[in-house]
Amino acid sequence: MTQLHTQPSCADDYDPDSLSVAEALQRIDQVAVPITGFEKVALRSALSRVLAETLSSPIDVPAHTNSAMDGYAVRTADLPEVEGSAELVVVGTAWAGTPFDGKVEPGTAVRIMTGAVLPPGADCVVMQERAGREENKVRIGPGNKAGQNIRQAGEDLATGAPVLEAGRLLTPADLGVLASLGFAEVRVWRRLRVAFFSTGDELRAIGELLTEGQIYDSNRYTLYGMLTRLGVETIDMGVVRDRQEDLQEAFRTAAANADAVITSGGVSVGEADFVKDILTSLGEVNFWKIAMKPGRPMAFGKIGNAVFFGLPGNPVSVMVTFYEFVQSALKRMMGQRETAVVTVKVPCATRLKKRPGRMEFQRGILERLPDGGFVVHATGDQGSGILSTMSRANCFIVLPEDCGNVEAGRLVDVQPFEGLM
Ligand code: AMP
Ligand code: MG
């Protein structure tokens, strides 16, 4: 006779056949390698793309030694060291873009604007607020040093200095740096193509009427959102019914057109065998039980040349497994060097219920206190179908496998959503 568990037992969460989150990440790492495919793009189009060449500076930035202030370019040898003042004759003006055509001779000064080339002879710029101008003379007191208010040629980037490394996701600051060096275009990885579809007879597309037992397909929308934020090219293949021929056809088409294929649903115990047969005939796919909550069942491997992620069906599980596994794998395939999810330690304001055995990703709200510190609290119901608490959350509270209940006030690991969710 089959024995039914009426009480939840601790033993339920310890499964000797489960993979830890770290082991799963390691195995994914070995399969999800950078694609080879590059293109040259104009500088503006390079924002949020992955740089595919290591660049060094072809010029000095700034190109000339120049003034950091509006003031007077002078020789420190002409100025008093500790007391009194010097009167210098103002012989001309150096503008940004129009240098002074001459030299700063002993006893003279040149009026200089921010960014203007420092005229020869000068070794110091005195800011205008500290100089007394009277007609063609300027009076300057003590306390000025050689090099003061001067930006040296090459102090930002010297010719030949390394600037940006291949594998970097280009930021607005990077675009500015590249522009300052005169780069009109750069080599980047081509966009990653990701195909995705939902599986399930109960799913309806928005716009259709729901009959008894049917639900709207939400996973394709959260996946679309996260993939778009990652900057990949998305191929939305819709909903595929739980029918052998339909699934087979969908897997084939997806793998032929994309670098990565993501599905949701159909990988839990009840249905695994069905999808398993198809996937075994098309590629090398493993069905994993991962020691995590939510998101225990997951399929991973390759179909043809495409990397395949079979995510669970529950809406929150889709988002958790995407955040923890798919995100870093796709970033690596896109050519990115830095792919790890950021974790910080923060005190937890609420008591958290947890049983040992699985790593848990609870939805949390990270909040700034009036004193500038941070605390996190859980969003409430942690069921893997409750997507509304996911939309209220701004982070995951990550509780390790062995950890039990967490008392209020304890430090916990938190992963802020970082713009993806
Ligand atoms: P499955 O793993 O296919 O048994 O799905 C697990 C649960 O997630 C079921 O309650 C499904 O109805 C639900 N589910 C699966 N796919 C989706 C989807 N695309 N959108 C919303 N719910 C889904
Ligand atoms: Mg299903």
Side-chain angles (χ1 to χ4, degrees):
M1 200 176 94
T2 318
Q3 199 178 341
L4 295 175
H5 288 285
T6 47
Q7 283 294 102
S9 133
C10 283
D12 287 341
D13 279 355
Y14 278 112
D15 182 339
D17 298 332
S18 294
L19 274 185
S20 71
V21 169
E23 284 168 323
L25 271 172
Q26 252 175 24
R27 293 193 192 183
I28 293 172
D29 266 19
Q30 286 160 13
V31 178
V33 295
I35 54 167
T36 50
F38 310 95
E39 57 185 325
K40 280 248 177 200
V41 295
L43 194 51
R44 280 198 180 89
S45 311
L47 182 65
S48 301
R49 300 293 296 272
V50 183
L51 187 65
E53 57 187 340
T54 292
L55 297 173
S56 51
S57 182
I59 54 169
D60 276 342
V61 179
H64 304 280
T65 298
N66 67 83
S67 178
M69 291 280 180
D70 292 336
Y72 293 89
V74 298
R75 298 156 20 95
T76 43
D78 287 344
L79 305 179
E81 268 180 43
V82 284
E83 55 182 358
S85 65
E87 197 177 67
L88 304 170
V89 179
V90 180
V91 293
T93 303
W95 305 93
T98 311
F100 171 66
D101 183 19
K103 207 176 158 206
V104 177
E105 304 284 358
T108 71
V110 165
R111 175 92 174 104
I112 193 165
M113 305 305 162
T114 306
V117 174
L118 189 74
D123 64 353
C124 165
V125 170
V126 177
M127 60 195 283
Q128 62 189 20
E129 292 84 346
R130 295 189 54 199
R133 181 76 186 258
E134 292 150 22
E135 295 180 353
N136 72 333
K137 305 241 175 64
V138 64
R139 185 165 289 283
I140 296 168
N144 295 292
K145 303 231 156 19
Q148 167 187 294
N149 299 326
I150 290 172
R151 304 190 282 220
Q152 299 295 332
E155 75 171 21
D156 187 353
L157 293 166
T159 305
V163 181
L164 295 172
E165 288 207 352
R168 186 181 168 83
L169 187 70
L170 293 169
T171 64
D174 295 341
L175 295 199
V177 168
L178 292 170
S180 75
L181 299 176
F183 287 104
E185 50 178 27
V186 288
R187 193 172 131 94
V188 295
W189 255 272
R190 75 160 167 79
R191 262 186 220 286
L192 194 72
R193 283 189 286 272
V194 182
F196 59 108
F197 59 87
S198 300
T199 70
D201 286 337
E202 76 282 26
L203 303 178
R204 287 294 171 274
I206 45 183
E208 290 177 6
L209 278 183
L210 294 185
T211 56
E212 173 117 10
Q214 297 180 336
I215 57 170
Y216 287 121
D217 170 14
S218 60
N219 290 344
R220 257 184 326 121
Y221 292 85
T222 51
L223 283 175
Y224 162 81
M226 293 189 289
L227 289 167
T228 302
R229 286 271 168 87
L230 271 184
V232 305
E233 204 178 294
T234 55
I235 307 171
D236 183 342
M237 295 179 58
V239 177
V240 178
R241 303 276 156 242
D242 289 323
R243 280 179 41 210
Q244 185 114 6
E245 314 81 70
D246 292 7
L247 283 166
Q248 191 148 8
E249 181 57 30
F251 282 125
R252 269 221 192 85
T253 311
N257 292 294
D259 304 300
V261 177
I262 302 173
T263 64
S264 70
V267 292
S268 55
V269 196
E271 309 137 299
D273 288 338
F274 180 50
V275 181
K276 217 176 199 163
D277 287 345
I278 302 173
L279 287 172
T280 323
S281 69
L282 291 176
E284 318 139 44
V285 175
N286 297 295
F287 285 77
W288 290 344
K289 267 190 285 180
I290 303 180
M292 69 189 285
K293 187 180 175 183
R296 176 151 46 185
M298 194 176 116
F300 175 74
K302 289 196 85 172
I303 308 175
N305 289 322
V307 172
F308 170 67
F309 294 90
L311 305 184
N314 277 309
V316 177
S317 309
V318 166
M319 297 196 78
V320 173
T321 48
F322 187 97
Y323 202 73
E324 301 305 320
F325 302 118
V326 183
Q327 175 183 200
S328 56
L330 296 186
K331 282 182 177 176
R332 205 170 321 97
M333 292 175 75
M334 290 161 75
Q336 274 190 60
R337 284 252 174 91
E338 303 283 328
T339 62
V341 172
V342 172
T343 304
V344 292
K345 278 214 186 305
V346 174
C348 187
T350 40
R351 181 177 195 272
L352 305 177
K353 271 173 48 180
K354 174 170 184 311
R355 285 184 294 161
R358 290 199 265 167
M359 190 176 216
E360 231 172 90
F361 296 85
Q362 300 204 2
R363 282 141 267 167
I365 298 172
L366 187 60
E367 218 171 30
R368 193 163 184 268
L369 298 171
D371 72 359
F374 282 87
V375 286
V376 69
H377 43 92
T379 54
D381 196 326
Q382 296 292 325
S384 59
I386 315 279
L387 197 52
S388 59
T389 57
M390 190 74 216
S391 104
R392 276 210 297 283
N394 62 10
C395 66
F396 286 128
I397 303 169
V398 186
L399 304 174
E401 269 181 42
D402 291 341
C403 154
N405 293 333
V406 174
E407 298 308 322
R410 257 189 47 192
L411 283 180
V412 288
D413 284 329
V414 162
Q415 293 173 343
F417 283 168
E418 296 246 340
L420 202 59
M421 311 218 267

